[in-house]
Amino acid sequence: MMPVTDKQIATELLAYEKMMVTAYAQTISETSCPELRQGFQQLLSHSIQNVAEIGQVMTASGWTAPRYALPDEVIQVAEQATQTNQNLQQAVTAWQAAEASAMKIEAERSAGQ
């Protein structure tokens, strides 16, 4: 059996930390407890920092080379983020209107009984 290399360990650690970033973000979005959310936000921040540090070690060791975004790519991602934000705002507004309508109908039903 071949020994595990430092590059393999770093690659596994990076994959694990990226997985934890995703898991923490999902948990934050699903919890309704402010204290729990705050705890997971701290864990998320720590994992994001770990990803950056592991990436720096891997780059400094020559195990990976960062790919820098081209200006057009940055513009495209910014436009997509803006569109996503607008779509989200529209969805929230529509949901709030539907919720208000449902509450009004329920109030009218209750008043009629």
Side-chain angles (χ1 to χ4, degrees):
M1 184 167 148
M2 303 225 9
V4 178
T5 66
D6 289 344
K7 179 181 178 181
Q8 290 169 321
I9 293 170
T11 301
E12 287 298 316
L13 285 172
L14 184 61
Y16 171 80
E17 286 296 340
K18 286 181 176 182
M19 179 184 68
M20 293 311 300
V21 166
T22 301
Y24 291 146
Q26 181 175 355
T27 302
I28 289 166
S29 71
E30 293 176 355
T31 186
S32 60
C33 175
E35 293 83 7
L36 191 56
R37 183 178 299 117
Q38 183 180 13
F40 278 106
Q41 285 171 334
Q42 290 172 352
L43 291 169
L44 174 62
S45 180
H46 184 72
S47 282
I48 290 171
Q49 181 64 34
N50 286 345
V51 168
E53 290 175 9
I54 294 167
Q56 289 170 355
V57 168
M58 292 180 76
T59 299
S61 299
W63 299 330
T64 186
R67 181 188 172 281
Y68 297 101
L70 299 172
D72 288 345
E73 292 172 326
V74 172
I75 291 169
Q76 180 182 8
V77 169
E79 289 171 351
Q80 288 172 346
T82 299
Q83 184 62 47
T84 299
N85 186 39
Q86 290 171 352
N87 292 346
L88 181 59
Q89 287 176 353
Q90 289 172 353
V92 168
T93 300
W95 176 81
Q96 289 171 333
E99 187 72 15
S101 178
M103 289 175 66
K104 181 180 177 185
I105 290 169
E106 184 62 32
E108 289 171 354
R109 284 183 189 157
S110 294
Q113 290 181 354

